Amino acid sequence: MFKMLQVRNGELLEGAVLIGRIVCFGFLAGFTVSDIRFRKVSTSWLAMGGVMAAVYCLVFQREQWILSAMGLLTGALFILISRLTGEGIGYGDSIMISILGLYLGIWSLLEMLVITWCLVAIAAMIILVKKKYARKAAIPLMPFIMMGYVVMWGSEVFVG
């Protein structure tokens, strides 16, 4: 069975990638709801997502482990930023970025983060122009991470 999972051609790998993407989207959707409603995310769910990402990488992305490690290190940089800024970016968001870095690899993570930060900037400008919140108001980041992930995934599917 394990040997069959290592097949790199045909439908097995494509199916695994699709299932991985759907599961990741499910996690992000749950974290988004939690971040909006409670301003925090479950550490046990983050841990479970991290374990699942690690297993996925070990089984389906063995040749690209260096890219996954670099993605994980990028997330670790965000955890350091969270610490240095007194959670200007929440720990939950930073840990999720680490998990996504492990799962996606450095290049897809960076693509997703560029999209995410562009969406955050647009939302912040709209909020400031409408004067709904003070300049220092905190907005939940997880919805933008999810939207960045969806846009990145969509660009892979539709653009190639």
Coordinates of all heavy atoms in Angstrom, one line a residue, residues 61-120:
Q61 N 5.6 14.6 -1.4 CA 6.5 15.7 -1.8 C 8.0 15.4 -1.4 O 8.7 16.3 -1.0 CB 6.1 17.0 -1.3 CG 4.8 17.5 -1.9 CD 4.4 18.8 -1.3 OE1 4.7 19.2 -0.2 NE2 3.5 19.5 -2.0
R62 N 8.4 14.2 -1.4 CA 9.7 13.8 -0.9 C 10.8 14.5 -1.7 O 11.8 14.9 -1.1 CB 9.9 12.3 -1.0 CG 9.3 11.5 0.1 CD 9.7 10.1 0.0 NE 9.1 9.4 1.1 CZ 9.4 8.1 1.3 NH1 10.2 7.5 0.6 NH2 8.8 7.5 2.3
E63 N 10.7 14.6 -3.0 CA 11.7 15.2 -3.8 C 11.8 16.7 -3.6 O 12.9 17.4 -3.8 CB 11.5 15.0 -5.3 CG 11.5 13.6 -5.8 CD 10.2 12.9 -5.6 OE1 9.1 13.6 -5.6 OE2 10.2 11.7 -5.4
Q64 N 10.8 17.3 -3.0 CA 10.8 18.8 -2.9 C 10.9 19.2 -1.4 O 10.4 20.2 -1.0 CB 9.5 19.4 -3.4 CG 9.3 19.1 -4.9 CD 8.0 19.5 -5.4 OE1 7.1 19.9 -4.7 NE2 7.8 19.5 -6.7
W65 N 11.5 18.4 -0.6 CA 11.6 18.6 0.9 C 12.3 19.9 1.2 O 11.9 20.6 2.1 CB 12.2 17.4 1.6 CG 13.7 17.3 1.3 CD1 14.2 16.5 0.4 CD2 14.7 17.9 2.0 NE1 15.6 16.7 0.4 CE2 15.9 17.5 1.4 CE3 14.8 18.8 3.1 CZ2 17.2 17.9 1.8 CZ3 16.0 19.2 3.5 CH2 17.2 18.8 2.9
I66 N 13.2 20.3 0.4 CA 14.0 21.6 0.7 C 13.0 22.8 0.5 O 13.1 23.7 1.3 CB 15.2 21.7 -0.2 CG1 16.1 22.8 0.3 CG2 14.9 21.9 -1.7 CD1 17.1 22.4 1.3
L67 N 12.2 22.7 -0.5 CA 11.2 23.8 -0.7 C 10.2 23.9 0.5 O 9.8 25.0 0.9 CB 10.4 23.6 -2.0 CG 11.3 23.7 -3.3 CD1 10.5 23.4 -4.5 CD2 12.0 25.0 -3.4
S68 N 9.8 22.7 0.9 CA 8.9 22.7 2.1 C 9.6 23.2 3.3 O 9.0 23.9 4.1 CB 8.4 21.2 2.4 OG 7.6 20.8 1.3
A69 N 10.9 22.8 3.5 CA 11.6 23.3 4.7 C 11.8 24.8 4.6 O 11.7 25.5 5.6 CB 13.0 22.6 4.7
M70 N 12.0 25.3 3.4 CA 12.2 26.8 3.3 C 10.9 27.5 3.5 O 10.8 28.6 4.1 CB 12.7 27.1 1.9 CG 14.2 26.7 1.7 SD 14.7 26.8 0.0 CE 14.6 28.6 -0.3
G71 N 9.8 26.9 3.1 CA 8.4 27.4 3.4 C 8.2 27.5 4.9 O 7.7 28.4 5.5
L72 N 8.6 26.4 5.6 CA 8.4 26.3 7.1 C 9.3 27.4 7.7 O 8.8 28.0 8.7 CB 8.8 24.9 7.5 CG 8.6 24.6 9.0 CD1 7.2 24.7 9.4 CD2 9.2 23.2 9.3
L73 N 10.5 27.6 7.3 CA 11.3 28.6 7.8 C 10.8 30.0 7.6 O 10.9 30.9 8.5 CB 12.7 28.5 7.3 CG 13.6 27.4 7.8 CD1 14.9 27.3 7.0 CD2 13.8 27.5 9.3
T74 N 10.1 30.2 6.5 CA 9.5 31.5 6.2 C 8.4 31.7 7.3 O 8.2 32.8 7.8 CB 8.9 31.5 4.8 OG1 9.9 31.3 3.9 CG2 8.2 32.9 4.5
G75 N 7.6 30.7 7.6 CA 6.6 30.8 8.6 C 7.2 31.1 10.0 O 6.7 31.8 10.8
A76 N 8.4 30.5 10.2 CA 9.1 30.7 11.5 C 9.5 32.2 11.6 O 9.4 32.8 12.7 CB 10.3 29.8 11.6
L77 N 9.8 32.8 10.5 CA 10.1 34.2 10.5 C 8.9 35.0 10.9 O 9.0 36.0 11.6 CB 10.6 34.7 9.1 CG 10.9 36.1 8.9 CD1 12.1 36.5 9.8 CD2 11.2 36.4 7.4
F78 N 7.7 34.6 10.4 CA 6.5 35.3 10.9 C 6.2 35.1 12.3 O 5.7 36.0 13.0 CB 5.3 34.8 10.0 CG 5.1 35.5 8.7 CD1 5.8 35.1 7.6 CD2 4.3 36.7 8.7 CE1 5.6 35.8 6.4 CE2 4.2 37.3 7.5 CZ 4.8 36.9 6.3
I79 N 6.5 33.9 12.9 CA 6.4 33.7 14.3 C 7.3 34.7 15.1 O 6.9 35.3 16.1 CB 6.6 32.3 14.7 CG1 5.6 31.4 14.1 CG2 6.7 32.1 16.2 CD1 5.8 29.9 14.2
L80 N 8.5 34.9 14.6 CA 9.4 35.8 15.2 C 8.9 37.3 15.1 O 8.9 38.0 16.1 CB 10.8 35.8 14.5 CG 11.9 36.7 15.0 CD1 12.2 36.4 16.5 CD2 13.1 36.6 14.2
I81 N 8.3 37.6 14.0 CA 7.7 38.9 13.8 C 6.5 39.1 14.8 O 6.4 40.1 15.4 CB 7.2 39.1 12.4 CG1 8.4 39.3 11.4 CG2 6.3 40.4 12.3 CD1 8.1 39.2 10.0
S82 N 5.7 38.0 15.0 CA 4.6 38.1 16.0 C 5.2 38.4 17.4 O 4.6 39.2 18.1 CB 3.9 36.8 16.0 OG 3.2 36.5 14.8
R83 N 6.3 37.7 17.7 CA 6.9 37.9 19.0 C 7.4 39.4 19.2 O 7.2 40.0 20.2 CB 8.0 36.9 19.3 CG 8.7 37.1 20.5 CD 9.0 35.9 21.2 NE 9.8 36.2 22.4 CZ 9.5 35.7 23.6 NH1 8.4 34.9 23.7 NH2 10.2 36.0 24.6
L84 N 8.1 39.8 18.2 CA 8.8 41.1 18.2 C 7.8 42.3 18.2 O 8.1 43.4 18.7 CB 9.8 41.3 17.1 CG 11.0 40.4 17.2 CD1 11.9 40.6 15.9 CD2 11.8 40.6 18.4
T85 N 6.6 42.1 17.6 CA 5.6 43.2 17.5 C 4.5 43.0 18.5 O 3.5 43.8 18.4 CB 5.0 43.2 16.1 OG1 4.3 41.9 15.9 CG2 6.0 43.4 15.0
G86 N 4.7 42.1 19.5 CA 3.6 42.0 20.5 C 2.3 41.5 19.8 O 1.2 42.0 20.2
E87 N 2.4 40.6 18.9 CA 1.3 40.0 18.2 C 0.6 41.0 17.3 O -0.6 41.0 17.1 CB 0.3 39.3 19.1 CG 0.7 38.0 19.6 CD -0.4 37.2 20.2 OE1 -1.0 36.5 19.4 OE2 -0.6 37.2 21.4
G88 N 1.4 41.8 16.6 CA 0.9 42.7 15.5 C 0.3 41.8 14.5 O -0.7 42.1 13.9
I89 N 1.0 40.7 14.2 CA 0.4 39.5 13.5 C 0.3 38.4 14.5 O 1.2 38.1 15.2 CB 1.4 39.0 12.4 CG1 1.6 40.1 11.4 CG2 0.8 37.8 11.7 CD1 2.7 39.8 10.4
G90 N -0.9 37.9 14.7 CA -1.2 36.9 15.7 C -0.4 35.7 15.6 O 0.0 35.3 14.5
Y91 N -0.1 35.0 16.7 CA 0.6 33.8 16.7 C -0.1 32.7 15.8 O 0.5 31.9 15.1 CB 0.9 33.2 18.1 CG 2.0 33.9 18.8 CD1 1.8 34.6 20.0 CD2 3.3 33.8 18.3 CE1 2.8 35.3 20.6 CE2 4.3 34.5 19.0 CZ 4.1 35.2 20.2 OH 5.1 35.8 20.8
G92 N -1.4 32.7 16.0 CA -2.2 31.7 15.2 C -2.0 31.9 13.7 O -1.9 30.9 12.9
D93 N -2.0 33.1 13.3 CA -1.8 33.5 11.9 C -0.4 33.0 11.4 O -0.2 32.4 10.4 CB -2.0 35.0 11.6 CG -3.4 35.4 11.9 OD1 -4.4 34.7 11.6 OD2 -3.5 36.5 12.5
S94 N 0.6 33.3 12.3 CA 1.9 33.0 11.9 C 2.2 31.5 11.9 O 2.9 31.0 11.0 CB 2.9 33.6 12.9 OG 2.8 35.0 12.8
I95 N 1.6 30.8 12.8 CA 1.7 29.3 12.8 C 1.0 28.7 11.6 O 1.5 27.8 10.9 CB 1.1 28.7 14.1 CG1 2.0 29.1 15.3 CG2 1.0 27.2 14.0 CD1 1.4 28.8 16.7
M96 N -0.1 29.3 11.2 CA -0.8 28.8 10.0 C 0.0 29.1 8.7 O 0.1 28.3 7.8 CB -2.2 29.5 9.8 CG -2.9 29.0 8.6 SD -2.9 27.2 8.5 CE -4.6 26.9 8.5
I97 N 0.7 30.2 8.7 CA 1.6 30.5 7.6 C 2.8 29.5 7.6 O 3.2 29.0 6.5 CB 2.2 32.0 7.7 CG1 1.0 33.0 7.4 CG2 3.3 32.2 6.7 CD1 1.3 34.4 7.7
S98 N 3.3 29.1 8.8 CA 4.3 28.0 8.8 C 3.8 26.7 8.3 O 4.5 26.1 7.5 CB 4.7 27.8 10.3 OG 5.3 29.0 10.8
I99 N 2.6 26.4 8.7 CA 2.0 25.1 8.2 C 1.8 25.2 6.7 O 2.1 24.2 5.9 CB 0.6 24.8 8.9 CG1 0.9 24.5 10.4 CG2 -0.1 23.7 8.2 CD1 -0.4 24.5 11.2
L100 N 1.3 26.3 6.2 CA 1.1 26.5 4.7 C 2.4 26.4 4.0 O 2.6 25.9 2.9 CB 0.4 27.8 4.4 CG -1.1 27.7 4.8 CD1 -1.7 29.1 4.7 CD2 -1.9 26.8 3.8
G101 N 3.5 27.0 4.6 CA 4.8 26.9 4.0 C 5.3 25.5 3.9 O 5.9 25.1 2.9
L102 N 5.1 24.7 4.9 CA 5.4 23.3 4.9 C 4.7 22.6 3.8 O 5.2 21.8 3.0 CB 5.2 22.6 6.2 CG 5.5 21.1 6.4 CD1 6.9 20.9 6.1 CD2 5.0 20.6 7.7
Y103 N 3.4 22.8 3.7 CA 2.5 22.1 2.8 C 2.7 22.6 1.3 O 2.8 21.8 0.4 CB 1.0 22.4 3.2 CG 0.0 22.0 2.2 CD1 -0.1 20.6 1.8 CD2 -0.8 22.9 1.6 CE1 -1.1 20.2 0.9 CE2 -1.8 22.5 0.6 CZ -1.9 21.2 0.3 OH -2.8 20.8 -0.6
L104 N 2.8 23.9 1.1 CA 2.9 24.5 -0.2 C 4.3 24.6 -0.8 O 4.5 24.5 -2.0 CB 2.3 25.9 -0.3 CG 0.8 26.0 0.1 CD1 0.4 27.5 0.2 CD2 0.0 25.3 -1.0
G105 N 5.3 24.7 0.1 CA 6.6 25.0 -0.3 C 6.8 26.5 -0.4 O 5.9 27.3 -0.4
I106 N 8.1 26.9 -0.5 CA 8.4 28.4 -0.4 C 7.8 29.2 -1.6 O 7.2 30.3 -1.3 CB 10.0 28.5 -0.4 CG1 10.3 30.0 -0.3 CG2 10.6 28.0 -1.7 CD1 10.1 30.6 1.1
W107 N 7.8 28.7 -2.8 CA 7.4 29.6 -3.9 C 5.9 29.8 -3.9 O 5.4 30.9 -4.1 CB 7.9 29.0 -5.2 CG 9.4 28.9 -5.3 CD1 10.1 27.8 -5.4 CD2 10.3 29.9 -5.0 NE1 11.4 28.0 -5.4 CE2 11.6 29.4 -5.1 CE3 10.2 31.3 -4.8 CZ2 12.7 30.1 -4.9 CZ3 11.3 32.1 -4.6 CH2 12.6 31.5 -4.7
S108 N 5.1 28.7 -3.7 CA 3.7 28.9 -3.6 C 3.3 29.7 -2.4 O 2.3 30.4 -2.4 CB 3.0 27.5 -3.6 OG 3.1 26.9 -4.9
L109 N 4.0 29.5 -1.3 CA 3.7 30.3 -0.1 C 3.9 31.7 -0.3 O 3.1 32.6 0.0 CB 4.6 29.8 1.1 CG 4.4 30.7 2.4 CD1 3.0 30.4 3.0 CD2 5.5 30.4 3.4
L110 N 5.0 32.1 -1.0 CA 5.3 33.5 -1.3 C 4.3 34.1 -2.2 O 3.8 35.2 -2.0 CB 6.7 33.7 -1.8 CG 7.9 33.4 -0.9 CD1 9.2 33.5 -1.6 CD2 7.8 34.3 0.4
E111 N 3.8 33.3 -3.2 CA 2.8 33.8 -4.1 C 1.5 34.0 -3.3 O 0.9 35.1 -3.5 CB 2.5 32.7 -5.2 CG 1.4 33.0 -6.1 CD 1.1 31.9 -7.1 OE1 1.9 30.9 -7.2 OE2 0.1 32.0 -7.8
M112 N 1.1 33.1 -2.4 CA -0.1 33.3 -1.6 C 0.1 34.5 -0.7 O -0.9 35.2 -0.5 CB -0.3 32.0 -0.8 CG -1.6 32.0 0.0 SD -1.6 31.1 1.5 CE -0.5 32.1 2.5
L113 N 1.2 34.7 -0.1 CA 1.4 35.8 0.8 C 1.3 37.2 0.1 O 0.8 38.1 0.6 CB 2.7 35.7 1.6 CG 2.8 34.6 2.6 CD1 4.2 34.5 3.2 CD2 1.8 34.9 3.8
V114 N 1.9 37.2 -1.1 CA 1.7 38.5 -1.9 C 0.3 38.8 -2.1 O -0.2 39.9 -2.0 CB 2.5 38.4 -3.2 CG1 2.2 39.5 -4.2 CG2 4.0 38.4 -2.9
I115 N -0.5 37.8 -2.6 CA -1.9 38.0 -2.8 C -2.6 38.4 -1.5 O -3.4 39.3 -1.4 CB -2.6 36.7 -3.4 CG1 -2.0 36.4 -4.7 CG2 -4.1 36.8 -3.4 CD1 -2.2 35.0 -5.2
T116 N -2.3 37.7 -0.4 CA -2.9 38.0 0.9 C -2.6 39.4 1.3 O -3.5 40.1 1.7 CB -2.3 37.0 2.0 OG1 -2.7 35.7 1.6 CG2 -2.8 37.3 3.4
W117 N -1.4 39.9 1.3 CA -1.0 41.2 1.7 C -1.7 42.3 0.8 O -2.0 43.4 1.3 CB 0.5 41.4 1.9 CG 1.0 40.6 3.0 CD1 1.9 39.6 2.9 CD2 0.6 40.7 4.4 NE1 2.1 39.1 4.2 CE2 1.3 39.7 5.1 CE3 -0.3 41.5 5.1 CZ2 1.2 39.5 6.5 CZ3 -0.4 41.3 6.5 CH2 0.3 40.3 7.1
C118 N -1.8 42.0 -0.5 CA -2.5 42.9 -1.4 C -4.0 43.0 -1.0 O -4.5 44.2 -0.9 CB -2.4 42.5 -2.8 SG -0.8 42.7 -3.6
L119 N -4.6 41.9 -0.7 CA -6.0 42.0 -0.2 C -6.1 42.7 1.1 O -7.1 43.5 1.3 CB -6.5 40.5 -0.1 CG -6.7 39.8 -1.4 CD1 -7.0 38.3 -1.1 CD2 -7.7 40.4 -2.3
V120 N -5.2 42.5 2.0 CA -5.2 43.2 3.3 C -5.1 44.7 3.1 O -5.8 45.5 3.7 CB -4.1 42.7 4.3 CG1 -3.9 43.6 5.4 CG2 -4.4 41.3 4.7

